[in-house]
Amino acid sequence: MKRLVLLCAVALGCRASASGDPADGTDGDDAGTAGEGGGDGGGSDDTDGGGEPAECEVAEPAPLRRLTPTEYRNTVRDLLGVDSSDLVADFPIDATVSGFDNNAAVQAFQLGHARAYQSAAEEIAERLLADPSLRDAVVGCTPAAPGDACVRELIEHLASLAYRRPVDASVVDALAAIAETAPPDDPWASVGLVVRAVLQSPRFLFRVERSGGASGNGSLQALDGYEVATRLSYLLWQSTPDAWLLQRAEDGALDETDGVAEVVRQMLEREAVDEALGAFAHGWLRLSMLDDLGRDPQLFPEWTPSLREAMRAEAMALVRDTARGDGLMAAYTLPRAWIDDELAAVYGLPAPGSDDPTPVELDGTADRGGLLTTAAVLALTTPTSITSPVRRGVYVWDALLCSPLPPPPPGAIGELPAPADVPKQQALEQHRSDPACSGCHDLLDPIGLGLERYDAIGRVRAVDEGGYPIVQEGFVPGLDDGSFGGGVELGERLRAMPDAQRCVATQVFRWAMGRSETPEDACVLDALTEVVAQTNGDYGEIIAALAVSDTFRLRP
Amino acid sequence: MTDTLNMSTLRRRSILAGLGSAIVLPLFQAATPGGRRASAAPGDDLRRLVIFQFPNGCYLPDWTPPTLGPSWQSTPILDAVFDHRDEITVVSGLSNEAVAMSGHDAVTNPHARRFAPMLTCTGVQPNGAGSASVDQLVAQALGGATAFPSLVVALTARNDLHEGRFSFSAPDAPIAPTLDPAQLFAELFADATLDPAAQARLVAERRSVLDHVLSDIESLRGELGTVDRVRLDAHTDAVRALEMSIQELGCEPPPSPTPTDPDDPSQREARCHALIDLCAMALACDVTRVVVFSMGATAGEPTYPFLGIAEGDHTISHLPNQDPVSREKYRAISHWKLRQFGHLLDRLAIPEGAGRVLDRCAVVALSEISHGGSHDTHALPVLVAGGLGGHTGGSHVAVPCDPTTLLLPAADKTWCMGSEHTPLANLWLTALGTMGLPDESFGNSTGVVEGLWS
């Protein structure tokens, strides 16, 4: 006998009733977000939009940030020309916070890191020295003895690039000293030792910011140009500042907000921004939830690791395309898909004849277009082979509205009957009939139910797992006109919501700052939200507004 | 120093010459007392902590022996380790629910609120756990006794801070588990495959590079604010630990593990065994004394086609237990997970001195939750094994336990007696004492668990 077990002991209560405004009194976000997300929302006329410094006069302590594995790999590539992809694959995997893997608060430095950096540095030095063309490009002279003038020249050049600022003589001397420990008959070995020492230095592994902090008096200090360059470079390129950018720092171009804005615009032209945007998308949309998904092979024979990767690639492409095109808010509704042959089959579209994500226009394709119809989002919100309206609702509140609902009360039992026994909609209704559960589930379930027409891999279907006809209608609680059918319409509803706009601003903020927002960040988030509202979420404009803000440029 | 290393390397090699067998056991027998470690290792005071976690709980009536006392009776799940009955104490009634509920509200996922605190017994925080975990407290105290203060290994994992991390060296310092047998093998044993001359040169170079790094950190330290200095100190500690471990280029390496595909469920058991074997070897070779082995992150959804089960692990844990088909599935995957624990015990039965490696281990197996459907952490499934601290197995014991909160039929919880739950923290506090680290409290502990370890 299968039955629905209901036992929600205590209602913690969700902040908004089904008829209320979900924006009201939002809080309880990851780091206690100041949840004034909303207000009247639609761009007020009295702001100037992106580019103007947000004068918030507040800067939270910026934790010392360690290079992520991706940043490490790109930095080594740009400094030395060495591919270390296989090496960083063995680095300890950074934990994600709200989907982002670059949150400095949890960037541990443990024995495992020291060990990984040591062996990577050894291997990178070996690869560099083993390839004469790479070696000559980096060294530019031929050392005759360990630590000779040639090696010293290399040290001065490499250290300032690797440490992202001019280096003191003492730093050069210390590296020269280690170079001199190489065997006399092996001068190239001294180059290897220098490279190994540089790659294990805290000045390389951490994004050191010397401004602020040391004074200890709590006052705000501006970052120097090199520090701003480093923040921008890792934000926009996920790599080290190049010679051009360091030169801009030296010229003082990054000491004033106008200069920063201009440099940001130039940096946005680079191709490297695309890869960084993919990483932003990965965090925002929590695409790592795709990693360990399993599917019943009987029900989903098409589920393969390559299909999973095609889903991931499409979601990243969608964000990339809109971030610098129609704006991130357009991602909710953009009628374009990026499909390979496998994903085309899931979408019921003609195969593009390619294993690479190929853009196709979706105008007129039923129930397809925008973020909420991507196979990635529909699959990653389905832990197993049976879709869960609750999970999909949770995802919308967490990732797209930045307003996670409270945890289930103690004793809440989440046992659902088999979908063949009780239609899902009915089971959920029964669940919500308990007032202890309805507070939150009134907000969650209607969203997920409106997405029931997509199965566990994002395919459009007519009947659910139990063989019952699909519930066609869902609604977004709190909206006057919140009803929708399917992901295209849900995207349209969300796109217009002030909370969704604020959430996009918040997600960019988390990614850019490498930390969760705090109540003190409400001011800068207000400003960024305004930019989102005015530009439809133009990534460059959001970044430019953030980069000139006190939050970005000052340190306590 | 170089000479010492060469000597010891050669000595080890001569001891092990001719034992390049693919079979694990003879290698262990020879390797254990081998090399430079002989003086320090396996002395009478060698203590090891081994923690084995399996995700998503189990259905307790299928786990718990019906009666308390010696010679516990087999159950549908414990059948998986019944061969080891005399090694194992079944401990019923430990609870981590108070801790789970005390977590920060910002962490909303019910699994996450219970997984991260499993080894800390403090409520989760937005940026981590409430404290360092018990395994890391031990690892930090044993410090440089071994090349690896601890091994944190998982068969599958997630990267989410709260749903995917269970070992914390500090409240905001989660440890990423090692997932790949080949990588674990390389970390533990790769350096030992170098010839002695190359090894000696590598050691000397590493020393000078790390010395440089340490002084570099020190010179930078003065330029930074206090918050950043704390971060830099972690870097210093890690580099110092690395420097101390530099002499320990491992024992004679075992054969490298056969590659397995993590995406292929049919290879999961082989992969699990490869990881467990390496952990056991690391213990036997005294490369580490603390191992945490996770069968998977909470709420993970690996499927079990090799058991004829198509649903994911976590989904199965949420199926109604009243339904016989669902219950059988939950039972089957729990049985499989526990069989892997049996494999670990098999591997730890390596001879050491007059006894076995297992004799100097405190071993705890547990899940982060008891009841899947409610994410309940009352009356967690817990087993204790290993001979450290005079532990002997075979019995089913219960700690004070409040039956009114257990969502079980009355007949299935007769062992649960009392009016209050005993915190899981009491077990970890007791384990700390057994490891030679007695303390006043750990997490929300209220005392020690009597009768397990002396």
Side-chain angles (χ1 to χ4, degrees), chain A residues 49-54 232 235-236 256-266 268 508 512 524 527-528 531 535 538-550 552-553:
Chain A
E52 277 299 302
L232 290 175
L235 164 55
L236 289 168
E256 302 297 335
T257 54
D258 287 353
V260 170
E262 177 56 27
V263 166
V264 165
R265 282 180 223 298
Q266 290 176 297
L268 282 163
V508 173
V524 69
L528 299 182
V531 177
T535 66
D538 183 279
Y539 184 71
E541 293 296 332
I542 304 170
I543 294 297
L546 177 63
V548 299
S549 71
D550 290 350
F552 193 85
R553 294 181 54 248

Side-chain angles (χ1 to χ4, degrees), chain A residues 416-436:
Chain A
L416 284 177
D421 295 349
V422 186
K424 259 190 256 180
Q425 185 183 20
Q426 195 183 319
L428 290 169
E429 263 167 32
Q430 215 173 321
H431 187 225
R432 288 197 304 276
S433 68
D434 184 332

